[in-house]
Amino acid sequence: MAGFLDRAKEQAQRGLTQGKQKLDDVQAQRAGGDLLKKLGAAYYEERKGSGSPDATQRALQALEAHIATNGDGFLHG
């Protein structure tokens, strides 16, 4: 009986770990999407004349840092 409980506990732990990983992935994708929107808004404002190249550059750098950490999967999905 103890072996069964150990295996059940192990499977439950694996499920929790996989669930947390999936949640982290979804949160990273959302954050990437938000950064991409900010870059688009900064670029639009710059082109319209109400924004600055510095704001666009900062938004681009934030997006590139996110991609370096989390990958660019949010761009393809």
Side-chain angles (χ1 to χ4, degrees):
M1 185 68 163
F4 171 77
L5 292 177
D6 288 341
R7 284 192 306 273
K9 182 179 176 183
E10 192 176 297
Q11 284 181 325
Q13 186 61 45
R14 231 184 345 256
L16 288 173
T17 301
Q18 289 172 346
K20 183 179 178 336
Q21 180 62 44
K22 181 66 175 173
L23 178 62
D24 290 346
D25 291 346
V26 168
Q27 289 175 335
Q29 285 187 357
R30 284 184 182 161
D34 288 345
L35 289 169
L36 190 58
K37 287 178 188 177
K38 288 179 183 179
L39 174 59
Y43 178 76
Y44 175 77
E45 288 174 0
E46 180 185 346
R47 299 294 291 175
K48 192 172 81 172
S50 61
S52 71
D54 289 338
T56 303
Q57 186 61 34
R58 283 191 305 274
L60 178 60
Q61 289 171 341
L63 180 63
E64 288 173 339
H66 178 81
I67 290 171
T69 302
N70 300 291
D72 66 355
F74 68 95
L75 294 172
H76 310 289

